[in-house]
Amino acid sequence: MELERYRCKAVFSVDELRIFLEGEEIISYKEKIWSILKDDLLFAHHNGELTIDQKRELTYKRAKRLIEYDFLSDQDIMENPSLAVAFQDAVAAYDPALLQVISLSISVFGGAVRGLGTSKHFQYYEKAYEFDLIGCFSLTELSHGSNARGMRT
């Protein structure tokens, strides 16, 4: 109750707070993503009328389209690593399932192939990045169940 009394007294600009927390470049970057997604019919929101198979198909198509938009290149990340987090934030705010698909296929699977593979494996990274190959994450430890955090090695 005490905290609520102080919150009621607070007066500040939400826009100024966003600029302070994220910076104008990140805000502009996220708004660019949201603007493009808003204008793309593939990204139109559905109010629960899709079956699970339709949702999966739609998420796959959206993932492919995000890659086509090329919102985040390796060069962009090298110049400003904060853009990677901003991209994730923007996509997650729009559709968390879409971010999960992209993260698992490109970041987890593709990152492992790119970082641990040899030149003969790089073709798989390229295919995963273009969503011509769907990557996945698998645990092979005994007795881990589905609790990846509780895995013992």
Side-chain angles (χ1 to χ4, degrees):
M1 294 298 182
E2 186 78 17
L3 183 57
E4 284 301 317
R5 189 170 52 151
Y6 287 106
R7 285 182 177 165
C8 290
K9 293 179 181 180
V11 179
F12 59 89
S13 165
V14 173
D15 291 335
E16 288 178 22
L17 180 61
R18 282 186 71 204
I19 291 169
F20 174 76
L21 293 174
E22 298 186 283
E24 291 181 10
E25 180 183 6
I26 297 299
I27 292 169
S28 175
Y29 177 73
K30 286 180 178 182
E31 288 175 353
K32 173 186 151 192
I33 292 171
W34 291 327
S35 175
I36 291 171
L37 298 184
K38 182 183 75 151
D39 293 339
D40 187 330
L41 291 178
L42 183 61
F43 290 90
H45 286 288
H46 299 276
N47 294 322
E49 68 268 10
L50 300 176
T51 67
I52 190 72
D53 287 338
Q54 290 171 325
K55 288 178 185 177
R56 288 176 178 153
E57 180 70 21
L58 181 60
T59 300
Y60 171 76
K61 288 178 180 178
R62 286 176 172 174
K64 291 267 300 177
R65 182 70 55 85
L66 276 180
I67 300 306
E68 291 169 8
Y69 280 131
D70 196 26
F71 286 124
L72 189 64
S73 69
D74 287 344
Q75 184 63 33
D76 294 334
I77 295 171
M78 295 299 288
E79 291 174 7
N80 185 352
S82 298
L83 289 178
V85 175
F87 174 78
Q88 292 173 348
D89 288 347
V91 173
Y94 181 82
D95 182 356
L98 180 57
L99 178 62
Q100 290 174 350
V101 167
I102 291 171
S103 294
L104 282 174
S105 189
I106 295 175
S107 300
V108 176
F109 171 77
V113 170
R114 190 176 189 187
L116 301 172
T118 64
S119 58
K120 72 178 183 178
H121 299 106
F122 292 154
Q123 64 177 317
Y124 301 113
Y125 171 77
E126 296 297 328
K127 288 180 181 180
Y129 189 82
E130 297 295 327
F131 260 77
D132 292 329
L133 172 72
I134 304 295
C136 64
F137 171 74
S138 175
L139 293 176
T140 58
E141 299 292 325
L142 297 176
S143 74
H144 76 276
S146 60
N147 180 6
R149 289 185 177 180
M151 184 176 75
R152 295 173 289 146
T153 57

